[in-house]
Amino acid sequence: MATNADAELVPSAEFVPTSHKGLTYPFGAAAPAPGEVREVAQGLRWVRLAVPGPLKHINCWLIAEADGDALVDTGMNTDDARAEWRALLAGPLAGLKLSRVIGTHFHPDHIGLAGWFCAEHGCMLEMTRGEWLTARMLAADARDAVPEEMLAFWRGAGWDAEAIERAKARGWAGFRRIIAPLPLGYRRLVEGQMLTIGGHQWQVVVGSGHSPEHACLLDAKRGLLIAGDQVLPRISSNVSLGVTEPEGDPLGDWLASIEKLKGLPADLLVLPGHGDAFHGLHARLDALDAEHRARLDELAVFIAEAPRRAVDCFGRLFRRAIGPELIGMATGEALAHLRRLEVEGRARREVTDGVWWWRAA
């Protein structure tokens, strides 16, 4: 199905489209700077906030409604993010009233300030049930000490004593510290649901792998897809196997979601959680699929040479050194790929003194 997304874009002489690896960026380098708001389409505005770490920023989207604006994703609960929002609310967003807050998924850079906004504006938070319950669980499970199951998980992945002690020192309440308290109730989003926002119909499209039930929002008539982290233009979202579902198959879920999203129109304007708005959805999905399958094939060869732990696989999966700040995500990603090889019948895991070793099946 073809769409006419560009007809809805707000014209401006400052937009100089660029292209890279099969994707077209219709706004070029004209992303909103701190304290600025960029209008993307009629009634749809783009805000970009800083986040700590390698991602550097998060995109948030405001959709105008008769009784206010719907805010899709919020930024992390940090002093810097709150200051950026306050500057926006004192400037280009002065007088803003929110009608609802929509969280694409539970990660703190996306819902960290959801509770703050809902309390300030007296509005509802809307999420899928899987994302809502995961967020509530992680916020509630803020123990003083790191659980023994987590320590065993890190040992199993091959972490050394120094890495484990460093992680233990950070404690077990990290998630709760970087999200504002969530409201007790929420409005559930489900696959295929049609939301009327600002006089336009937005369909909920659910993906998985990066998070349990990630909600994307599709305005098929105008050719717009608010994609969160389900499709990013220049990097692949982290796909991790974690302690809460150690026998899951998140990479299998991710690959299945890629195939599902290929059923959407190819010419949508994709509005991602990180990076710039782009055209070329199918090209990007094909590239993501090929990247992960190539990694799987490379790992299959690697574990055929000798048994490997998750930490031994970093050099085959990542093109950067993995330091203390990235070891958690890198471990989850390595385990997701090794687990996928197990599911495909190409690997088997053996346990020796609590450490997991994978070898070719």
Side-chain angles (χ1 to χ4, degrees):
M1 179 177 67
T3 63
N4 193 20
D6 283 335
E8 293 287 344
L9 299 184
V10 175
S12 173
E14 68 181 295
F15 297 158
V16 180
T18 59
S19 297
H20 182 70
K21 293 188 176 180
L23 306 185
T24 300
Y25 300 88
F27 299 100
E36 292 183 354
V37 178
R38 172 74 61 201
E39 190 170 12
V40 174
Q42 184 177 9
L44 176 61
R45 294 181 289 179
W46 175 13
V47 171
R48 175 171 281 182
L49 304 174
V51 295
L55 289 175
K56 298 183 179 178
H57 68 259
I58 170 76
N59 296 324
C60 307
W61 310 96
L62 288 158
I63 308 172
E65 298 198 81
D67 57 346
D69 280 53
L71 173 61
V72 183
D73 290 339
T74 67
M76 195 177 289
N77 184 29
T78 63
D79 290 340
D80 288 345
R82 286 178 183 253
E84 286 188 76
W85 273 117
R86 289 191 178 103
L88 287 163
L89 293 169
L93 294 179
L96 177 72
K97 173 65 178 175
L98 294 184
S99 54
R100 64 178 100 184
V101 175
I102 300 173
T104 58
H105 61 298
F106 79 89
H107 292 162
D109 51 334
H110 293 260
I111 65 157
L113 289 170
W116 181 54
F117 277 117
C118 289
E120 288 285 321
H121 292 262
C123 61
M124 289 289 290
L125 173 60
E126 302 184 3
M127 299 177 70
T128 63
R129 180 178 286 171
E131 301 296 330
W132 163 258
L133 290 176
T134 302
R136 295 288 297 181
M137 177 270 292
L138 291 172
D141 188 17
R143 315 178 199 181
D144 293 333
V146 176
E148 182 56 41
E149 297 98 318
M150 191 73 248
L151 300 178
F153 190 85
W154 291 333
R155 294 188 196 101
W159 287 25
D160 60 23
E162 182 181 354
I164 292 173
E165 287 305 312
R166 189 184 301 113
K168 284 174 64 176
R170 289 196 292 268
W172 191 245
F175 184 86
R176 189 165 71 179
R177 284 195 296 267
I178 52 178
I179 68 164
L182 292 169
L184 292 180
Y186 80 114
R187 186 178 292 128
R188 183 185 177 192
L189 302 179
V190 298
E191 167 68 31
Q193 180 180 0
M194 301 302 296
L195 305 175
T196 301
I197 310 176
H200 298 281
Q201 293 296 304
W202 294 84
Q203 180 182 347
V204 177
V205 180
V206 174
S208 189
H210 176 63
S211 65
E213 287 185 286
H214 184 298
C216 304
L217 298 177
L218 169 67
D219 181 342
K221 184 176 180 180
R222 296 193 293 170
L224 302 170
L225 179 69
I226 297 178
D229 286 358
Q230 199 64 39
V231 189
L232 300 178
R234 296 181 184 270
I235 61 172
S236 175
S237 301
N238 179 259
V239 178
S240 283
L241 185 75
V243 69
T244 55
E245 195 177 344
E247 295 183 4
D249 180 19
L251 185 52
D253 294 338
W254 178 254
L255 295 171
S257 293
I258 287 174
E259 192 62 32
K260 173 184 174 180
L261 291 172
K262 288 181 186 178
L264 298 181
D267 60 346
L268 294 172
L269 176 64
V270 181
L271 307 176
H274 310 278
D276 296 324
F278 69 94
H279 288 297
L281 174 63
H282 287 196
R284 184 60 187 140
L285 292 171
D286 287 341
L288 288 168
D289 184 86
E291 176 184 352
H292 283 288
R293 294 189 189 279
R295 287 177 175 181
L296 287 170
D297 290 343
E298 189 170 352
L299 274 191
V301 172
F302 189 51
I303 64 172
E305 296 169 352
R308 314 287 186 180
R309 304 165 300 171
V311 296
D312 300 325
C313 300
F314 291 171
R316 300 302 173 110
L317 290 173
F318 310 111
R319 304 296 178 249
R320 66 169 82 176
I322 302 300
E325 73 285 353
L326 292 176
I327 190 172
M329 287 194 297
T331 298
E333 186 102 11
L335 289 170
H337 283 76
L338 291 164
R339 173 61 180 153
R340 183 63 201 164
L341 289 176
E342 277 190 273
V343 172
E344 293 179 356
R346 293 200 278 170
R348 58 188 174 90
R349 186 183 69 164
E350 298 175 350
V351 184
T352 303
D353 296 328
V355 179
W356 309 326
W357 296 87
W358 279 266
R359 63 174 71 244

